[in-house]
Structures are given as structure tokens and as C-alpha cells.
Amino acid sequence: MSTWVVGKIVEVKHWTDQLFSLIVQAPVNAFVAGQFTRIGMYVNSTIIQRAYSYLNAPNNPNLEFYIATVLEGKFTPLLRALCSGDTVMLTKEAYGRFVLDEIPSCANLWMLASGTGIGPYLSILADHDERLDQFSNIVLVHATRFYKNLNYLSQIKKLKNIYSSKLRVQTITSQEKSYNSLFGRIPTLIENNSLEKKVGLPLNISNSHVMLCGNPHMISDTKEILKKKYGMKDHVRRNPGHITQERYW
Ligand SMILES: Cc1cc2nc3c(=O)[nH]c(=O)nc-3n(C[C@H](O)[C@H](O)[C@H](O)COP(=O)(O)OP(=O)(O)OC[C@H]3O[C@@H](n4cnc5c(N)ncnc54)[C@H](O)[C@@H]3O)c2cc1C
């Protein structure tokens, strides 16, 4: 049974019609960057709850969640209607193994995100955990349909200044061409080598680990290419591999 705590909405940032971020203050337990909590709301005396990844660093008391409204969804239209001062429920405990402790040591860590799947990576990078020292290069890839959906670019730029040449950032848009972004979908851009060429680093089985977060279609299509092209396999502690994933639905 989960223990629920009350969270107070400090701010709701509406980026587009569908994308928004909730900033919440709540007495949750410490979490590890990359983990998620469950947010809940009472509707007709029943709690509706869904999982959301923490986007803030663990030491930041402003808990931040980057959320896409699913128009026919049961929960996100309710969340989107919230205003500062409103309350939600959060589980006190955080969950999940999409964390640096679960990533094997390697030269190049690839963090591939679609849409709101950028959240856990921003938390991990903002945490400046010494476990990041084990990687020579970190590649952060944010893929969205349109340029207007690349909403965390200013935060990403700050991280780029901190990590300098260790962090390589690549944006991708799939429905329109945009300046400095690759055009297409992650799996296609891996298959035709465009991502490796633009980033300037080889992606291979001997020196790379790939984290995948967000849309389950992106994850399964990307995994298929990584397995076929490079012979990569899923990673679990008992059976080490090269791919770690967090599917959002
Ligand atoms: C570990 C974990 C972490 C997650 N973290 C986040 C996060 O940080 N931000 C975030 O936005 N979501 C996140 N999600 C997804 C989230 O839990 C909900 O599933 C999502 O917000 C939809 O809720 P809903 O009740 O509005 O839609 P539902 O009524 O549950 O879903 C209706 C249908 O919409 C589809 N669907 C679900 N989510 C999406 C989506 N995002 N885009 C398009 N179609 C969708 C599915 O086919 C689903 O059957 C996470 C999920 C998991 C498992």
C-alpha cells in the first residue's frame, strides 16, 4: 500500500496546448535522480493515479513534472486544469530503476528521449552525481514532433555549460525541419547513421550504453534497430547488456 502525502502546486507552466509542467512542494521521501512518483487525485471519492518522473534534481524542494495532456485521457486533463495553490496527492516513496546505479560502466552514455521522456535525464544531469564521472561522453538526445515542443532548451544549455565537451546535445524534430535539429525519427536516424555523424561519436556494442525514455513506439522501434544493427541487448543487473528503458505507456 502506498503512503500518500499532500502536495501544494506552486506553479503550472503551460508550454503549449498539450504540454505543461507542474511544480509541487510536498513532504516526499528522498528519491534518486531518474525515479518516478505517482500523482493522485480524488474523483467521486476514488483516487485516480498515474506515474510521473521527477525532472528536478533530488536536492531541489520544487518537485517538477513535465506532462503531456492526453486529450481522451482520464487523468491528464484534470492535472492540466490545476492552478497554483491547488493540491494533489503524491506517493511518499519514489519508484523505478532508471537510475545511474543500474547503468554499467562504459565510455559513452546515450540518453535518448522522446517528448516528456526528457524529464529523468534532466534530473540525473542536474544532480551532478559522481557516478557520471565514469563516462567519457554523455549524449543527450531530445526528439519531439515540432520545434515548439523542445521546451527545456534553456535548462539544457545551462547543463551544457556545466558539463562542457563531456555533454553532447542533439535535438530531433519529426514533423518539421528546424535549425540545428535532425529531421526524422530516432530509429531511422540511428539506422542511417545520421545521429552518430551529427553527434560525432560512434555508437557501438564495445563502448556504449543506451538509455531510452518516453513513447513506447520509439522505444521498441529503437531497440529493434540497436539489436539488429549493433547486436545490443537489454540490460538487467543479473544479465548485463547495453539498453536500459523507461516506457511511459
Ligand atoms: C514510469 C512512468 C513514468 C511516467 N512519467 C511520465 C512523465 O514524466 N510525463 C508524462 O507526460 N507521462 C508520464 N508517464 C505516463 C503517465 O503515467 C500517464 O500514462 C499519462 O499521463 C496518461 O494518463 P491519462 O490518464 O491522461 O491517460 P489514460 O486514460 O491512462 O490513457 C489513455 C490512452 O492514451 C495513450 N497514452 C498514454 N499516455 C500517453 C502520452 N503521453 N501520449 C500519447 N498517448 C498516451 C495510451 O494508449 C492510453 O491507453 C509515465 C508512465 C510511467 C509508467
Side-chain angles (χ1 to χ4, degrees), residues 18-20 34-39 48-55 64-79 95-96 98 115-120 213-217 245-249:
Q18 276 175 272
L19 292 166
F20 63 98
Q35 286 193 304
F36 66 92
T37 185
R38 302 188 73 83
I39 300 182
I48 307 187
Q49 50 169 301
R50 296 285 185 272
Y52 293 99
S53 303
Y54 283 108
L55 181 143
E64 183 158 351
F65 306 97
Y66 183 36
I67 300 172
T69 312
V70 177
L71 294 178
E72 306 295 319
K74 289 197 181 71
F75 193 58
T76 45
L78 302 176
L79 279 184
Y95 311 95
F98 199 67
T116 55
I118 192 73
C213 186
N215 181 318
H217 306 296
Q245 65 180 53
E246 188 77 287
R247 300 170 84 98
Y248 274 5
W249 73 92

Side-chain angles (χ1 to χ4, degrees), residues 75-215:
F75 193 58
T76 45
L78 302 176
L79 279 184
R80 191 179 183 282
L82 292 170
C83 299
S84 59
D86 289 344
T87 56
V88 285
M89 314 289 285
L90 288 87
T91 56
K92 201 171 171 71
E93 292 295 325
Y95 311 95
R97 296 188 170 182
F98 199 67
V99 297
L100 285 180
D101 249 357
E102 300 291 329
I103 307 297
S105 188
C106 64
N108 301 332
L109 179 63
W110 293 73
M111 298 174 156
L112 309 186
S114 68
T116 55
I118 192 73
Y121 301 132
L122 296 182
S123 180
I124 290 169
L125 290 168
D127 193 27
H128 308 295
D129 192 297
E130 62 188 16
R131 273 166 283 212
L132 287 170
D133 296 347
Q134 66 184 305
F135 308 109
S136 309
N137 298 289
I138 300 167
V139 184
L140 177 65
V141 175
H142 192 192
T144 60
R145 297 178 71 201
F146 300 102
Y147 180 80
K148 68 174 183 189
N149 297 343
L150 293 167
N151 292 310
Y152 278 88
L153 285 180
S154 62
Q155 196 156 319
I156 290 172
K157 270 186 198 139
K158 283 184 197 148
L159 291 166
K160 175 79 189 113
N161 287 340
I162 293 166
Y163 286 95
S164 188
S165 59
K166 185 186 180 99
L167 177 64
R168 299 177 193 216
V169 175
Q170 183 59 52
T171 52
I172 296 176
T173 47
S174 64
Q175 302 297 307
E176 65 183 6
K177 292 192 172 169
S178 63
Y179 175 70
N180 241 350
S181 294
L182 283 167
F183 176 57
R185 292 185 69 229
I186 290 177
T188 315
L189 295 166
I190 291 176
E191 189 171 28
N192 65 21
N193 299 320
S194 301
L195 183 61
E196 280 173 84
K197 268 193 212 147
K198 187 92 193 308
V199 166
L201 272 183
L203 175 58
N204 59 42
I205 198 165
S206 63
N207 68 12
S208 312
H209 191 90
V210 182
M211 298 177 82
L212 297 167
C213 186
N215 181 318

